[in-house]
Amino acid sequence: MTAIIHAHGVSKSFGSVDAVQDVTFDVAQYSICGLLGRNGAGKTTLMNLLTGQEFADAGSIRLFGASPVENASILSRTCFIKESQVYPEGFCGKHVLRAGAWVYPEWDHALAEELVDALKVPVNRRVKKMSRGQRSALGVTLGLASRAQLTIFDEPYAGLDAVARHTFYDFLLRDYAEHPRTVLMSTHLIDEVADLLDHVLLIDEGRLVIDAPADELRGSAITVSGVSADVERFVSSRHVLTTDVLGGLTSATVAGLSSADKVAAVEAGLELAPVSLQQLIIGRTRGAQQGEVAS
Amino acid sequence: MSVAVDSGENVMVIPSRARRIANVVRLHAANPVPTLILPWLIFAAVFALNLAIWIAVVSAAGGRDQLEPDAFANNGAISWIYVFLLVAATQAMNLTFAFALGLGITRRDYFLGTALYLAGLAVFYATGMTVLAAIESATNGWGLEGYIFAPLFMGDLPLVEQFAAHLMIAVFFFATGLFTGAIFVRWRALGLYVFFGALAFGVAGLILIASLFDGWQGVGAFFTERSPLAVIAWTLPWSGVTAVVAALILRRATPR
C-alpha cells in the first residue's frame, strides 16, 4: 500500500483548546476515505494541518512522502475544498473556476462545464451573493475538475439538496473510476456516503477513535434486543457500545460478536440487527464522552 | 516509507516557479477594481475637489491675477493619493491570501507574486502621475497655476527625475502596504493597532530627541543639502526592510 497521507502524532492547540491531539493515520493511494466526527471535533483543523495551512505543534505530516508545508510540488497536486473558504471580494463563480484552471496542472475544463450545468452553479454571480448551496456547488466543481491527485473535501455539500448531493456522488465515483485519485472527505451525512467510503477515520474531541476499513466497520457491531434481564446476561462479558432501555426491554449495541456469539444470542431468545455506520459512529462518540466523564 | 507518484501514469509536471508567481499576479488582477480602477476614481475625486476649491477662491478674489502666483503651488493633495495606494495594497493582500492558500499556493510564491504585482503597480502609477504632471505643466497648472501632481519643488525637475521621484514614493507606499498587509493577514486588526501605535511613539520619540539635542538644524540641513531626488532616495532602505519583514511575517501566517 502506498500512503498518500501519512500523519504521525499530530497535535495542534489554539490557546487552551486542544483541537487535534496525537493523531496518527495513513490514507492509502486511490482510496476514498471519510473523516467523520461531530462539529468541533477537529476535522477542519486536521485538514488545515494536512494541507500546510496551519502549522502543527507536534508530530509529522507527509503527503506523497514529503512535508506539505510550503511545498509547491505537493500542494499543486493537492486540492482542498472547505466550506469556510474565503473568496476574494468581487470574485464571481467564473473567476474562481478560472483561477482553478491556472493553478491545477490537470484541470479538466470539460468536466468543470459539465458540473456547472449539472449542479447549476451560477458562474456569473458574485460568490458573496451566492447561497450556501451554490457556494458548495462551486467548491465541489472546483474540487472535482482540479483532478488533483489528492482531493480533500471539508463538508463539501453543506447546503446542497439531496438531488445535488447525489449528482456529486455520481460524478465523484465516475471520475474516480476514470481517473483514480485519493479522496479524503469530512461529512455529517454518514449513511449517505457510507457506500462510497473505503476507509473511515473518526475523530472525537481532537482524538482519533476509529481508523478502519469501512467494510470491517459495517459488520463490526450488532444490536441485540429483548427482555432486559436476558440482554444484560448476554452482554455482561462483552464490549457494549450503547444501551437503550424502554420499559422492560433493552437493546444494546455490541461490538465484535463472533458467529458463535450470534447463535448463542438467538438461542437466548434475543433479536439481532445490523448497525448502520451512522449508529456505530454515534455509539462510539458517545462512548468516548462517557469514558471522559468517568475518568 | 513511501515515495509516491512513481507509477509512470502519474508522472506529473509541477508548474514552474515563474508560472506559479504569474498565477498570483493574475489572481490579484482578476478583479481589477480595487487596485487598478478605484485609485484613479479617488485621484479624480481629489483632483475635482481641489479644482473646485481653486475656482471658488479665484472667483472670490475676483480673478486669478488677484492672487499670489504660487498660491496653489504648495499642495498636499498628492499625499492622499499615495496613502490610498498603501490602503489598496493592504486590502489586496487581505482579499487574496486565504484564497491563494486554498488553491495550494505556497506563502513564498504568494509573497513573490504579490510583491511583483505591487512593483508593477508602482511603475503604472508613477507613469500615470508623471503624465498628469506633464499635462499640468503644459496647461500652466490647469489654467489656474494650480499644481497637484508636481507640487512644491517637483515642477522644477525634469520629467525623468519626476518619474524617478514618483516611482520611489510609490514603491515606498506599496512596500509599507505589503508590510501592513502582512501584519493584517497574520494578526488581524490587533497587529495594525500595535504597529501604528508603535509608529506614533517612534515618531514622537524622534521628534523629542531632535528637540532635546538641538537636532533640528541637522534635520533641516539633511533636506536642504541634498537634491530632492537624493532625499527621496532615502525611502529606499525603509522600502527594502519593510518588504523583507513582510516576507518573514507571511511565512507563518495562516488563513482566517
Side-chain angles (χ1 to χ4, degrees):
Chain A
M1 162 182 122
T2 310
I4 293 296
I5 301 178
H6 173 76
H8 187 84
V10 175
S11 298
K12 175 72 185 175
S13 305
F14 297 102
S16 61
V17 180
D18 297 323
V20 171
Q21 299 176 60
D22 194 22
V23 167
T24 297
F25 66 93
D26 282 352
V27 174
Q29 190 173 24
Y30 303 145
S31 67
I32 299 183
C33 178
L35 176 61
L36 313 180
R38 309 179 59 183
N39 284 332
K43 302 188 296 289
T44 303
T45 303
L46 182 58
M47 289 174 154
N48 278 330
L49 290 168
L50 290 178
T51 50
Q53 297 201 17
E54 288 283 352
F55 301 97
D57 296 334
S60 81
I61 291 169
R62 294 277 177 276
L63 301 190
F64 303 96
S67 168
V69 174
E70 291 295 275
N71 190 330
S73 77
I74 283 175
L75 294 177
S76 65
R77 48 189 139 127
T78 303
C79 181
F80 176 28
I81 301 298
K82 56 179 164 182
E83 207 218 331
S84 56
Q85 179 64 58
V86 180
Y87 294 97
E89 184 97 14
F91 260 42
C92 298
K94 62 183 174 197
H95 295 128
V96 172
L97 296 179
R98 213 177 287 159
W102 299 334
V103 168
Y104 294 108
E106 295 182 25
W107 178 264
D108 186 327
H109 184 66
L111 178 63
E113 290 202 323
E114 222 181 313
L115 280 158
V116 163
D117 280 346
L119 295 168
K120 300 189 169 56
V121 181
V123 284
N124 290 315
R125 185 170 302 174
R126 287 181 178 218
V127 182
K128 222 179 152 187
K129 306 254 179 209
M130 288 186 188
S131 71
R132 200 166 172 226
Q134 288 168 334
R135 217 172 304 144
S136 292
L138 176 64
V140 158
T141 302
L142 182 62
L144 287 178
S146 76
R147 283 268 161 78
Q149 288 168 15
L150 171 61
T151 312
I152 300 180
F153 288 110
D154 184 19
E155 303 286 350
Y157 26 59
L160 286 188
D161 59 40
V163 177
R165 289 203 300 274
H166 282 277
T167 307
F168 167 58
Y169 305 143
D170 291 344
F171 270 96
L172 176 64
L173 283 179
R174 193 193 81 187
D175 202 59
Y176 172 78
E178 290 168 10
H179 305 271
R181 59 210 273 190
T182 309
V183 177
L184 174 67
M185 65 173 159
S186 73
T187 179
H188 291 299
L189 305 167
I190 300 169
D191 276 343
E192 207 171 286
V193 296
D195 294 336
L196 234 64
L197 302 179
D198 301 314
H199 199 91
V200 171
L201 299 169
L202 174 63
I203 185 169
D204 192 43
E205 296 187 343
R207 292 184 180 282
L208 195 65
V209 289
I210 292 181
D211 174 5
D215 283 338
E216 195 177 289
L217 283 176
R218 281 187 203 104
S220 72
I222 284 190
T223 302
V224 180
S225 45
V227 179
S228 294
D230 294 342
V231 173
E232 275 160 28
R233 197 177 312 121
F234 178 76
V235 302
S236 61
S237 60
R238 297 189 162 87
H239 180 39
V240 181
L241 297 173
T242 57
T243 317
D244 286 309
V245 181
L246 186 66
L249 298 177
T250 296
S251 72
T253 304
V254 190
L257 287 189
S258 67
S259 324
D261 289 337
K262 291 177 191 167
V263 172
V266 173
E267 279 172 356
L270 301 174
E271 257 182 60
L272 301 181
V275 174
S276 74
L277 205 53
Q278 175 143 331
Q279 285 170 301
L280 178 72
I281 300 293
I282 292 169
R284 285 289 188 93
T285 37
R286 244 198 242 151
Q289 275 181 330
Q290 282 166 354
E292 293 240 340
V293 173
S295 59
Chain B
M1 279 311 292
S2 55
V3 177
V5 198
D6 44 7
S7 49
E9 59 176 303
N10 256 340
V11 170
M12 116 157 220
V13 186
I14 308 300
S16 69
R17 161 151 284 176
R19 177 76 191 274
R20 292 180 340 241
I21 291 172
N23 283 338
V24 177
V25 172
R26 286 202 274 185
L27 207 58
H28 282 296
N31 177 12
V33 173
T35 51
L36 290 170
I37 296 171
L38 196 58
W40 291 115
L41 298 180
I42 300 288
F43 300 174
V46 168
F47 178 63
L49 221 60
N50 275 278
L51 216 53
I53 291 169
W54 291 339
I55 291 168
V57 171
V58 166
S59 85
R64 181 65 182 88
D65 45 8
Q66 301 296 309
L67 296 162
E68 302 276 314
D70 62 351
F72 301 147
N74 299 323
N75 189 299
I78 199 167
S79 58
W80 284 98
I81 293 173
Y82 277 117
V83 167
F84 190 78
L85 292 185
L86 185 155
V87 173
T90 305
Q91 206 186 12
M93 291 179 71
N94 182 40
L95 291 177
T96 52
F97 179 72
F99 184 59
L101 257 63
L103 288 174
I105 292 169
T106 65
R107 294 165 180 83
R108 196 180 305 114
D109 291 342
Y110 177 78
F111 173 80
L112 293 173
T114 302
L116 183 65
Y117 182 66
L118 293 179
L121 285 185
V123 172
F124 175 64
Y125 284 109
T127 307
M129 297 283 192
T130 309
V131 168
L132 288 169
I135 297 171
E136 190 170 76
S137 162
T139 56
N140 197 20
W142 316 101
L144 293 167
E145 291 172 67
Y147 297 93
I148 289 184
F149 300 100
L152 307 169
F153 58 85
M154 292 274 280
D156 304 333
L157 301 176
L159 271 188
V160 179
E161 287 191 24
Q162 286 193 32
F163 174 75
H166 279 299
L167 187 62
M168 285 190 285
I169 295 170
V171 165
F172 170 81
F173 280 97
F174 278 128
T176 308
L178 191 65
F179 178 60
T180 51
I183 290 176
F184 189 73
V185 162
R186 179 142 173 204
W187 293 294
R188 314 310 298 178
L190 183 67
L192 288 184
Y193 296 150
V194 171
F195 168 67
F196 282 110
L199 187 67
F201 276 104
V203 170
L206 288 177
I207 290 172
L208 191 65
I209 288 170
S211 304
L212 287 179
F213 298 99
D214 266 342
W216 287 114
Q217 259 186 341
V219 174
F222 176 86
F223 286 101
T224 50
E225 282 171 5
R226 288 171 176 76
S227 71
L229 219 51
V231 171
I232 293 173
W234 274 93
T235 58
L236 293 176
W238 166 272
S239 302
V241 168
T242 45
V244 170
V245 174
L248 295 177
I249 291 172
L250 269 190
R251 268 171 68 172
R252 298 289 295 181
T254 54
R256 282 173 220 286

